[in-house]
Amino acid sequence: MSYDNAKRASGTAMKTGIQQTIHAELIAVLVAVTGSVPRVLTLADGSALPAGPLELTHRSLQAGVRAWVERQTHHPLGYIEQLYTFADPTRGATVAGDQAERSISISYLGLTREIASGGDTVSWQDIYRYFPWEDRRSDPTLIERTIRAEMGRWVGTSAERAARVNACFGLDGSPWNEDLALPRYELLYEMGLVREAARDGQSKGGEFIHGAMMQADHRRILATALSRLRAKIKYRAIVYELMPESFSLLELQRCVEALAGQRLHKSNFRRLLASQNLLEETAHYAPGVGRPAKLFRFRAALLAERAIAGTRLPIARP
Amino acid sequence: MSYDNAKRASGTAMKTGIQQTIHAELIAVLVAVTGSVPRVLTLADGSALPAGPLELTHRSLQAGVRAWVERQTHHPLGYIEQLYTFADPTRGATVAGDQAERSISISYLGLTREIASGGDTVSWQDIYRYFPWEDRRSDPTLIERTIRAEMGRWVGTSAERAARVNACFGLDGSPWNEDLALPRYELLYEMGLVREAARDGQSKGGEFIHGAMMQADHRRILATALSRLRAKIKYRAIVYELMPESFSLLELQRCVEALAGQRLHKSNFRRLLASQNLLEETAHYAPGVGRPAKLFRFRAALLAERAIAGTRLPIARP
DNA sequence: CTCATTTATACTCAATATGAGTATAATGGA
DNA sequence: TCCATTATACTCATATTGAGTATAAATGAG
């Protein structure tokens, strides 16, 4: 961290020998919500996220991701956001003469609407297939019933571990915080309760809790995306990208509930929406089993103001 | 984005020809708050952030940043968080035979306490030296007075541009949002009102607003750090890392104010602190000019619970 | 055709949180 | 001793939130 380094770094390409050669890979987490199911686009029958190398033709990282997704799905990608960059030390770290090799992965979160993607093993998967404990809409006691005993074993008599588990999983007085999806996954990994831990040689064997495994650390990346998304819907109107042109208020509520993994209080949710002035009425109604619901759309001006309003979550209890 | 790519990506090192060779650089934004001044560690007399290449000896990206900072400052680094990764298309994008070269920068935010750093041109600089308009503690009307006319010229008759400026800078009815430090800097760049824009050939010439320039896009990275930090103090107790062992409530308030760039309401700030149960009293008092203030420290248990409480900002008006 | 069922929408009300300000307590120094 | 200065403790009106009830507009069974 010397001045020389800084000068080199901000100049043109560095070609000195100290530095190693690196391969960069882009990973995309594409999310869509259909009805009440939050989905992610996967490859290999749900065991991997779309990924590929950064190519020279890409003007920027974001442009690289966009290019792929649009080539693959023939669908323009709306909102897109960088998630995280990591350099896995265990993979690709081989030295060959003067040149050392290493792989860096840069992940992105994109929001779309679900479309039929014609590929061999390409498919949209329910996100909660990978994190069953994150879906508390129908049964918020899943953790209480299935995971708690296993966690207790790991905690043992350590007060510090107990505090961490309670804070992450909302046990013993702590409130449940939906944003903590990533810390929860990481904690389960550390406890050896997800299959990836055993695969990577971290687990001492024992019970695994439900949840489908993915290649490499793709499931961790997906957890990062879920965390980010849940935090963001509370202060940015990004649901926009996930909804059709017009929709009923209940449909919008179901979409937010799907992402948050929580039931929301109906009238309070509507009051919040009204106070934020995000929507405008259309002249149409959605037919259905009961009284027809008025259809709404997002206000056109919203696109310009993007940076503003927040959608906080009025949580409902059964 | 085919299944083949995904398989390659998640296997061992990729050596096929499609992919280009990449250099990775790590950039650190080290922040400390001393008294009422938020500072950042810089090189080259305040014109660059500490940066250097990713080395093979680094187990992970974070470990790489930690290693440097600790080697340079001889001070253990507490909180550290990844900011953003970007691949500048304009620098280092040269093709040489089969091998193409490109540079990727990965930036990190770290929190410390300020210490004398014995280096030639290494220094701690007031962050608001780079973003004078972000400090609204003494004079919240700076934008109103100095920048507005210039912005008006760029807006012209475009309603969309006007809406964007108003939302970003809290003009014309929109509330000021301190988290938007990055969008604000980006908007000023787009408008050609910061010197970097002229250097990069984006500006059409004209008045520049105050604020010191930095090499490459380091000032943009610093804006990213400020945005992230301001957003985060509202929902995570990270001020912890910036304060000494024990401190008075007013000192803590001054620290938060320095980061937020806003004055806070004294008694409401204290009420918020009390309700969150973050602090505990010590037996000591700080001597000073008036009545001595009781000294507090962060509760030990806080470290374990880290993931919890939020510190919202009760804004004060003069 | 009537009524139970289902969903939509409108209101109400208590509890809590927030913004803003006043009153009182300890200091050191003129 | 009194005053300037900072600390700490209360007060109070208003806004926001959580939770729930009442009424409206459809469908379909009988």
Side-chain angles (χ1 to χ4, degrees), chain A residues 1 3 5 9-10 14 19-25 44 50-51 53 55-56 58-59 72 82 85 89 95 102 215, chain B residues 1 3 5 9-10 14 19-25 44 50-51 53 55-56 58-59 72 82 85 89 102 215:
Chain A
M1 199 170 64
Y3 177 29
N5 278 346
S10 50
M14 295 171 283
Q19 208 191 357
Q20 64 183 313
T21 295
I22 285 161
H23 293 296
E25 146 185 66
E55 290 171 17
L56 190 64
H58 300 146
R59 287 191 342 277
Q72 178 75 11
Q82 195 180 95
T85 301
V95 186
R102 183 178 212 148
Q215 291 177 12
Chain B
M1 201 170 65
Y3 177 28
N5 279 345
S10 50
M14 296 170 282
Q19 209 192 358
Q20 63 182 314
T21 295
I22 286 162
H23 293 295
E25 143 185 70
E55 289 171 19
L56 190 64
H58 301 145
R59 288 191 340 279
Q72 177 76 13
Q82 196 181 94
T85 301
R102 185 179 210 145
Q215 290 176 14

Side-chain angles (χ1 to χ4, degrees), chain A residues 223-263:
Chain A
T224 309
L226 185 60
S227 262
R228 184 76 65 85
L229 199 45
R230 284 180 168 182
K232 208 135 192 178
I233 45 173
K234 277 179 283 189
Y235 64 93
R236 273 253 199 153
I238 51 174
V239 242
Y240 179 87
E241 310 286 350
L242 298 164
M243 299 299 292
E245 176 64 25
S246 69
F247 45 84
S248 74
L249 295 180
L250 188 58
E251 283 167 350
L252 182 59
Q253 184 182 339
R254 293 286 177 248
C255 175
V256 174
E257 286 177 336
L259 294 174
Q262 294 228 16
R263 305 295 301 272

Side-chain angles (χ1 to χ4, degrees), chain B residues 121-135:
Chain B
T121 52
V122 179
S123 59
W124 288 94
Q125 299 283 338
D126 184 343
I127 292 181
Y128 295 127
R129 187 189 158 205
Y130 306 99
F131 314 106
W133 59 88
E134 294 293 340
D135 187 2

Side-chain angles (χ1 to χ4, degrees), chain A residues 49-77:
Chain A
L49 294 169
L54 175 65
E55 290 171 17
L56 190 64
T57 52
H58 300 146
R59 287 191 342 277
S60 67
L61 298 175
Q62 183 162 324
V65 176
R66 266 184 207 283
W68 274 346
V69 172
E70 290 175 10
R71 195 196 307 157
Q72 178 75 11
T73 64
H74 307 294
H75 193 79
L77 196 48

Side-chain angles (χ1 to χ4, degrees), chain A residues 1-3 5-16 18-25 28 30 41 43-44 47-62 65 68-73 81-89 91-96 99-104 106 108 120-122 159-160 163-164 167-168 174-175 177 180 183 215-216 218 228 236 301 304-305 307-308 312, chain B residues 1-3 5-16 18-25 28 30 41 43-44 47-62 68-69 71-73 81-89 91-96 99-106 108 120-122 159-160 163-164 167-168 174-175 177 180 183 215-216 218 228 235-236 301 304-305 307-308 312:
Chain A
M1 199 170 64
S2 65
Y3 177 29
N5 278 346
K7 263 206 298 202
R8 271 226 325 280
S10 50
T12 48
M14 295 171 283
K15 302 192 178 188
T16 34
I18 312 170
Q19 208 191 357
Q20 64 183 313
T21 295
I22 285 161
H23 293 296
E25 146 185 66
L30 285 186
L41 188 68
L43 306 177
S47 73
L49 294 169
L54 175 65
E55 290 171 17
L56 190 64
T57 52
H58 300 146
R59 287 191 342 277
S60 67
L61 298 175
Q62 183 162 324
V65 176
W68 274 346
V69 172
E70 290 175 10
R71 195 196 307 157
Q72 178 75 11
T73 64
E81 167 185 331
Q82 195 180 95
L83 278 176
Y84 208 76
T85 301
F86 48 92
D88 195 330
R91 84 177 171 219
T94 54
V95 186
Q99 279 293 64
E101 293 199 356
R102 183 178 212 148
S103 175
I104 285 187
I106 304 156
Y108 275 83
D120 7 304
T121 53
V122 179
E160 202 186 307
R164 212 172 131 210
C168 269
S174 297
N177 181 348
L180 303 182
Q215 291 177 12
H218 288 194
R228 184 76 65 85
R236 273 253 199 153
E305 303 168 12
I308 26 164
R312 264 171 271 158
Chain B
M1 201 170 65
S2 65
Y3 177 28
N5 279 345
K7 264 204 300 202
R8 271 224 327 278
S10 50
T12 48
M14 296 170 282
K15 303 193 176 185
T16 36
I18 313 171
Q19 209 192 358
Q20 63 182 314
T21 295
I22 286 162
H23 293 295
E25 143 185 70
L30 284 185
L41 188 68
L43 306 179
S47 73
L49 294 170
L54 174 65
E55 289 171 19
L56 190 64
T57 52
H58 301 145
R59 288 191 340 279
S60 67
L61 297 175
Q62 185 162 320
W68 274 345
V69 172
R71 195 195 308 156
Q72 177 76 13
T73 64
E81 166 185 331
Q82 196 181 94
L83 277 177
Y84 208 76
T85 301
F86 49 89
D88 195 329
R91 85 178 172 221
T94 54
V95 185
Q99 279 294 65
E101 293 200 354
R102 185 179 210 145
S103 175
I104 285 187
S105 300
I106 305 156
Y108 275 81
D120 8 304
T121 52
V122 179
E160 202 185 306
R164 213 172 129 210
C168 270
S174 297
N177 183 346
L180 303 182
Q215 290 176 14
H218 287 194
R228 183 77 63 87
Y235 65 93
R236 274 253 199 154
E305 303 169 12
I308 26 161
R312 265 173 269 158

